[in-house]
Amino acid sequence: MTDTRRRVKVYTLNEDRQWDDRGTGHVSSCYVERLKGMSLLVRAESDGSLLLESKINPNTAYQKQQDTLIVWSEAENYDLALSFQEKAGCDEIWEKICQVQGKDPSVDITQDLVDESEEERFDDMSSPGLELPSCELSRLEEIAELVASSLPSPLRREKLALALENEGYIKKLLEIFHVCEDLENIEGLHHLYEIIKGIFLLNRTALFEVMFSEECIMDVIGCLEYDPSLSQSRKHREFLTKTAKFKEVIPISDPELKQKIHQTYRVQYIQDMVLPTPSVFEENMLSTLHSFIFFNKVEIVGMLQEDEKFLTDLFAQLTDEATDEEKRQELCGAVVFQVNFLKEFCAFSQTLQPQNRDAFFKTLSNMGILPALEVILGMDDAQVRSAATDIFSYLVEYNPSMVREFVMQEAQQNDDDILLINLIIEHMICDTDPELGGAVLLMGLLRTLVDPENMLATANKTEKTEFLGFFYKHCMHVLTAPLLANTTEDKPSKDDFQTAQLLALILELLTFCVEHHTYHIKNYIINKDILRRVLVLMASKHAFLALCALRFKRKIIGLKDEFYNRYIMKSFLFEPVVKAFLNNGSRYNLMNSAIIEMFEFIRVEDIKSLTAHVIENYWKALEDVDYVQTFKGLKLRFEQQRERQDNPKLDSMRSILRNHRYRRDARTLEDEEEMWFNTDEDDMEDGEAVVPPSDKTKNDEDIMDPISKFMERKKLKESEEKEVLLKTNLSGRQSPSFKLSFSSGTKSNLTSQSSASNLPGSPGSPGSPGSPGSPGSVSKSTSQMAAITTKGGLVGLVDYPDDDEEDDEDEDKEETLPLSKKAKLESS
């Protein structure tokens, strides 16, 4: 659709009384069956989607403002506005609205804004109009009383506004203002203050257009200088004409743009400095003033954006090295003014439709905003740098890839010291604010720039690889310089509050890099020995900084990366942590909890290399800590690891038992039994796999002691042992061969019944190779008695039944083998 007359922007008023842009489209009015009436429709110019569908309600108050705005309320606290590109289009839609409501299109408001009681409405309607007193010096008090009495009633406010418009009353009042000033009539000036303030509260665009015109605005400001509540008048006009100077370093050729800038600055000054702070009851009575300023700013920025010559010349002169310093300072003044507008528009642009926002930022980029920011950030003026930082933040938040691309391109031409990103880091480091407010903002921007989550990946290149390579080569040394400079000794060389805050910010960013940058940050930390330098800060008197250092190490340990682990062990980097833990003493605080949590993580995750390193080097310092079981648990982990290392065969045996993969038969059972006897039971961590649940709670020492004695007796009597091969029929098959040796002191008979179903991993357990229903299963009914002859007599081996009571009886017999041993015999 090419008709620009109907081209509009749709706005809604948010909770903060600011207008949000909902999109650009084309408006039409037609009958909508669903709404049962004539309605306003706005379809987006980008995709034709419906931005607005609003029925023209006969009782809704529509306002026409500034020739190109129509404002109304759909419901309580939901205001809408249509901003037209052309006045003709606004007039057409206004006529449609007035036609539906039966109003004359010459009015600027179609209905009363607030309902009144029937009695008050009848009284007001009985009089045809409001007659104003003649505009004379002697009647100023009467006029002031009339204005004040009209404000509470919406109908009377409407009639007063119409009377002021139709009779040109405001200009007459301003003529009297000059007379009063010439006569030094203070009483009359006080009355004029009340009258003009009351006119502001009428909240009418038509009146504002008169008051803010070039010929009237300074007189209006003059009237507002004479506040009766103040002992002396203010000098607002003197400030605006003498102190506030408007310099055109680069001439603005458009007179309309120049006039709009002057008007907006003065109206903003009235709102912020001249008018008293509105009360709760007056807040909404100045909404039209807010809207007037807002849409003026939108119009100004739009004009600036379209004036390519102005922006091009401005940025070109600013970045031209030939420009002398005095001229450059003048340019900075102009840039501050423009940047303040651009900054506000950038904030406003966050609510724009994507295509409009893209167009705005592309214009800034094409005009050279980033090189200009580089120059501005290098200047001494704090106000200029602050404005540049704000603009930079909007650019980063909108399109970080655009900023990354620029800084990588300039790195090919410039030294590291003058790169834009390094200038940002330097301003962060040199922030003079005791609370480092600016540094916090800049650190957030750096974090956005180095965040891989918002980096693009295309078929030809990966932004993450390219930018992170650039950042670690050209910028990381600038970021870590304060950290390295402050950690050359065993404790921080500077430990004041501001330095500690700065180092904490740097550590936060480094911690973020550890989590997201993998090998880039790993190489940097290990090659530059960064972790050792960071842990020096554990000795800081500021707890928050010591915790930041600890959090940095905890993030590294959390990766469970053996490269990091070897680096930590080689440099003994647990020593500062253990020292801090011991120095903290018995105090139950965040430091205590954070350090214990780190060691607990190592224990729970079973990080073997770090466990061994901690116990071997720091156990003596930590063994007395018994209010938590963390360190004793680490010691136990360490001992278990050492036992497994001493008995490597155990891992393979445990794997076999756990996976139930070998089948017992006559050919293999002898070798397996020998392996069982030759394996140290202490290393059988997975012994639960062959121990009934009732025995899992037994103390390890209670079980291991009789087994070790048994093994000693076996070795002493090995020369006297005989081999006995007992064969019985198991379901018609040849029974397995047992090659067992017992000492003469062993009880001659061990009897029980089969308990295969109770013993995990045993032939009759569910899911094992010998369970019912699986190949090679053996039923309980076919289990046979087995007897073993030794030098001391006959020992009977019987499969244990699935009977808990008989198990308990066997446990009570002193001479009976330990139940864990029985289980192993059965499973074999």
Side-chain angles (χ1 to χ4, degrees):
M1 189 179 294
T2 58
D3 184 8
T4 58
R5 289 182 308 131
R6 296 290 186 92
R7 190 168 185 265
V8 296
K9 280 185 177 290
V10 180
Y11 293 94
T12 59
L13 196 66
N14 61 29
E15 295 178 354
D16 299 325
R17 308 300 296 172
Q18 300 294 324
W19 288 101
D20 294 335
D21 183 3
R22 294 306 180 190
T24 303
H26 292 82
V27 65
S28 62
S29 61
C30 60
Y31 185 84
V32 176
E33 182 65 29
R34 184 175 62 83
L35 300 177
K36 304 297 183 184
M38 292 294 292
S39 304
L40 297 176
L41 304 178
V42 179
R43 294 195 175 275
E45 65 179 1
S46 58
D47 56 9
S49 60
L50 197 62
L51 295 177
L52 176 69
E53 185 181 58
S54 174
K55 180 182 177 181
I56 302 175
N57 195 311
N59 299 319
T60 297
Y62 291 84
Q63 296 183 65
K64 183 181 178 185
Q65 301 178 6
Q66 294 176 270
D67 292 332
T68 56
L69 282 173
I70 297 177
V71 183
W72 74 98
S73 297
E74 284 278 299
E76 187 176 357
N77 296 327
Y78 185 67
D79 291 0
L80 288 163
L82 293 179
S83 175
F84 289 78
Q85 182 170 331
E86 296 185 12
K87 179 178 182 296
C90 182
D91 292 340
E92 287 181 18
I93 296 300
W94 184 250
E95 288 180 7
K96 294 286 186 182
I97 294 171
C98 291
Q99 182 180 350
V100 172
Q101 294 198 342
K103 301 290 183 180
D104 186 342
S106 62
V107 301
D108 286 340
I109 185 168
T110 61
Q111 302 286 337
D112 299 329
L113 295 179
V114 181
D115 292 334
E116 296 180 288
S117 66
E118 291 298 324
E119 182 179 355
E120 186 179 14
R121 183 184 296 275
F122 178 79
D123 291 342
D124 283 330
M125 292 301 292
S126 61
S127 57
L130 186 66
E131 185 176 349
L132 292 171
S134 57
C135 193
E136 299 174 0
L137 178 61
S138 59
R139 306 194 68 176
L140 285 178
E141 183 176 1
E142 183 182 349
I143 297 170
E145 290 176 355
L146 175 63
V147 171
S149 64
S150 300
L151 292 176
S153 167
L155 276 177
R156 290 179 65 81
R157 283 206 309 272
E158 176 70 16
K159 292 180 179 180
L160 175 60
L162 289 173
L164 291 171
E165 290 175 36
N166 296 335
E167 300 180 19
Y169 209 78
I170 293 177
K171 292 184 178 181
K172 296 177 183 177
L173 287 170
L174 297 178
E175 291 174 2
I176 296 178
F177 166 71
H178 287 288
V179 174
C180 289
E181 275 207 318
D182 292 340
L183 297 175
E184 297 183 356
N185 186 338
I186 302 301
E187 184 179 358
L189 292 171
H190 286 170
H191 289 318
L192 282 168
Y193 172 89
E194 298 292 349
I195 293 169
I196 296 299
K197 178 188 172 185
I199 293 175
F200 269 97
L201 296 177
L202 291 176
N203 210 28
R204 289 294 292 263
T205 304
L207 297 178
F208 288 156
E209 288 176 350
V210 174
M211 297 166 72
F212 299 153
S213 63
E214 189 70 24
E215 58 179 321
C216 296
I217 189 168
M218 296 306 291
D219 290 338
V220 169
I221 293 171
C223 291
L224 294 173
E225 290 179 351
Y226 294 95
D227 186 349
S229 63
L230 301 176
S231 57
Q232 279 189 326
S233 62
R234 298 291 180 87
K235 305 295 183 184
H236 298 302
R237 286 172 294 173
E238 182 178 336
F239 173 82
L240 291 173
T241 55
K242 296 181 180 179
T243 306
K245 301 286 185 179
F246 179 71
K247 286 188 176 182
E248 293 183 68
V249 180
I250 295 176
I252 298 176
S253 56
D254 187 349
E256 183 181 357
L257 173 59
K258 191 184 300 185
Q259 189 276 330
K260 189 70 70 175
I261 291 173
H262 286 303
Q263 183 189 59
T264 304
Y265 177 77
R266 290 165 179 169
V267 175
Q268 184 81 60
Y269 182 83
I270 291 173
Q271 182 192 45
D272 295 341
M273 304 300 297
V274 180
L275 285 177
T277 303
S279 66
V280 174
F281 303 102
E282 296 174 338
E283 181 67 41
N284 292 331
M285 299 176 76
L286 292 174
S287 60
T288 304
L289 180 61
H290 300 323
S291 299
F292 187 95
I293 296 171
F294 174 80
F295 289 111
N296 260 20
K297 289 179 179 179
V298 172
E299 193 173 348
I300 289 171
V301 175
M303 291 179 177
L304 286 174
Q305 185 179 343
E306 293 171 3
D307 192 347
E308 293 189 4
K309 184 178 184 305
F310 175 83
L311 289 176
T312 303
D313 291 347
L314 177 63
F315 290 137
Q317 289 192 31
L318 188 60
T319 55
D320 186 0
E321 295 181 359
T323 304
D324 60 65
E325 190 60 29
E326 183 179 353
K327 181 74 172 178
R328 195 183 298 277
Q329 290 298 329
E330 290 181 351
L331 282 169
C332 285
V335 168
V336 170
F337 180 73
Q338 304 298 344
V339 162
N340 284 332
F341 274 105
L342 292 174
K343 181 176 70 175
E344 292 187 28
F345 190 71
C346 285
F348 162 72
S349 71
Q350 305 306 304
T351 61
L352 287 176
Q353 293 297 305
Q355 64 271 19
N356 297 330
R357 191 163 63 244
D358 288 347
F360 173 71
F361 282 110
K362 283 178 181 176
T363 300
L364 289 184
S365 179
N366 294 337
M367 295 299 103
I369 182 65
L370 287 169
L373 288 178
E374 255 185 342
V375 175
I376 297 171
L377 287 169
M379 296 180 178
D380 296 332
D381 192 317
Q383 184 183 6
V384 171
R385 292 200 307 269
S386 175
T389 300
D390 290 336
I391 291 296
F392 182 72
S393 69
Y394 285 120
L395 293 173
V396 170
E397 289 171 10
Y398 164 69
N399 192 345
S401 292
M402 177 182 72
V403 178
R404 285 192 284 260
E405 183 179 0
F406 169 77
V407 296
M408 284 191 290
Q409 288 176 353
E410 70 165 346
Q412 301 172 4
Q413 305 169 357
N414 300 330
D415 295 334
D416 288 357
D417 294 342
I418 59 174
L419 296 181
L420 176 60
I421 195 167
N422 284 343
L423 289 174
I424 295 296
I425 294 174
E426 288 175 7
H427 283 299
M428 180 197 76
I429 293 172
C430 300
D431 188 5
T432 55
D433 180 8
E435 298 298 327
L436 296 186
V440 172
L441 170 64
L442 294 174
M443 184 59 72
L445 299 180
L446 289 174
R447 180 170 175 157
T448 302
L449 287 174
V450 301
D451 187 355
E453 296 296 325
N454 60 48
M455 294 183 183
L456 304 176
T458 64
N460 299 326
K461 64 175 183 177
T462 302
E463 186 181 15
K464 176 180 177 181
T465 302
E466 292 187 0
F467 181 75
L468 292 184
F470 155 81
F471 182 78
Y472 280 89
K473 180 179 180 181
H474 298 280
C475 307
M476 183 58 91
H477 67 280
V478 181
L479 178 66
T480 57
L483 172 66
L484 298 177
N486 206 38
T487 55
T488 54
E489 306 296 335
D490 293 337
K491 61 180 181 179
S493 53
K494 287 183 64 179
D495 204 19
D496 58 278
F497 179 72
Q498 190 165 357
T499 301
Q501 274 193 313
L502 175 62
L503 295 179
L505 283 176
I506 295 172
L507 281 178
E508 283 185 17
L509 185 59
L510 291 178
T511 304
F512 177 83
C513 294
V514 167
E515 185 176 4
H516 292 89
H517 289 177
T518 59
Y519 67 89
H520 288 94
I521 187 66
K522 185 192 303 182
N523 292 338
Y524 190 81
I525 288 175
I526 294 175
N527 292 335
K528 301 293 184 182
D529 200 14
I530 295 296
L531 180 55
R532 184 178 65 81
R533 305 295 285 272
V534 167
L535 291 177
V536 170
L537 301 177
M538 293 286 293
S540 171
K541 66 183 180 183
H542 300 284
F544 69 88
L545 180 57
L547 286 168
C548 282
L550 183 64
R551 185 160 57 248
F552 179 71
K553 180 172 183 177
R554 173 65 177 82
K555 185 65 70 175
I556 290 176
I557 292 175
L559 297 177
K560 298 189 285 188
D561 186 317
E562 279 304 310
F563 285 99
Y564 277 130
N565 293 346
R566 285 196 291 271
Y567 163 60
I568 290 172
M569 293 184 295
K570 181 180 178 181
S571 301
F572 293 92
L573 295 181
F574 275 101
E575 184 174 335
V577 178
V578 173
K579 281 185 178 179
F581 180 70
L582 297 177
N583 290 337
N584 189 68
S586 59
R587 286 176 292 175
Y588 179 57
N589 54 18
L590 192 55
M591 178 64 72
N592 176 274
S593 299
I595 294 175
I596 291 175
E597 189 278 334
M598 183 175 70
F599 286 110
E600 182 69 11
F601 176 82
I602 295 172
R603 186 192 70 82
V604 171
E605 295 296 323
D606 196 15
I607 305 177
K608 295 178 176 56
S609 57
L610 295 184
T611 299
H613 177 75
V614 170
I615 296 303
E616 289 173 354
N617 294 280
Y618 307 105
W619 171 243
K620 290 295 183 184
L622 300 172
E623 63 179 336
D624 294 332
V625 179
D626 56 4
Y627 54 87
V628 290
Q629 297 304 308
T630 296
F631 301 108
K632 287 182 171 54
L634 270 178
K635 182 74 180 320
L636 180 60
R637 286 280 194 193
F638 171 70
E639 291 172 348
Q640 291 169 346
Q641 292 172 24
R642 190 167 56 183
E643 288 169 2
R644 283 197 296 270
Q645 291 169 0
D646 294 340
N647 298 274
K649 292 183 180 179
L650 181 62
D651 287 337
S652 59
M653 180 62 187
R654 187 170 62 251
S655 175
I656 292 172
L657 292 175
R658 182 164 51 245
N659 296 323
H660 309 291
R661 286 184 180 171
Y662 71 40
R663 182 174 301 170
R664 291 149 177 77
D665 57 42
R667 295 186 302 275
T668 62
L669 200 55
E670 287 184 359
D671 293 337
E672 293 168 355
E673 197 66 20
E674 281 297 318
M675 180 173 65
W676 182 85
F677 273 112
N678 292 330
T679 302
D680 191 345
E681 171 115 346
D682 288 342
D683 293 330
M684 293 292 287
E685 276 196 337
D686 290 341
E688 296 110 63
V690 291
V691 176
S694 61
D695 284 334
K696 288 182 180 180
T697 58
K698 295 186 69 175
N699 191 295
D700 288 342
E701 294 180 0
D702 295 340
I703 295 175
M704 299 307 298
D705 185 61
I707 292 176
S708 60
K709 291 179 180 179
F710 176 83
M711 297 303 293
E712 289 175 5
R713 289 195 297 270
K714 175 206 175 245
K715 293 177 181 178
L716 291 173
K717 298 295 182 179
E718 190 172 10
S719 61
E720 301 175 4
E721 293 170 351
K722 296 181 180 180
E723 293 182 1
V724 177
L725 182 61
L726 178 63
K727 297 181 180 179
T728 59
N729 292 325
L730 296 177
S731 301
R733 294 171 51 196
Q734 183 175 346
S735 65
S737 298
F738 290 84
K739 184 178 181 181
L740 299 176
S741 299
F742 291 87
S743 67
S744 59
T746 306
K747 189 176 176 67
S748 61
N749 290 303
L750 291 173
T751 60
S752 68
Q753 298 176 354
S754 173
S755 61
S757 62
N758 257 2
L759 301 176
S762 62
S765 65
S768 67
S771 63
S774 64
S777 65
V778 180
S779 64
K780 295 180 186 178
S781 62
T782 60
S783 299
Q784 302 296 324
M785 300 291 290
I788 299 179
T789 302
T790 68
K791 183 177 180 180
L794 187 68
V795 177
L797 284 183
V798 183
D799 290 333
Y800 289 82
D802 204 357
D803 190 343
D804 291 338
E805 293 181 2
E806 293 188 20
D807 288 346
D808 295 337
E809 291 174 7
D810 289 339
E811 288 175 14
D812 295 334
K813 298 178 181 180
E814 296 179 359
E815 297 296 326
T816 303
L817 283 176
L819 187 56
S820 60
K821 184 73 73 180
K822 296 177 187 177
K824 288 179 168 42
L825 290 172
E826 290 170 41
S827 64
S828 62

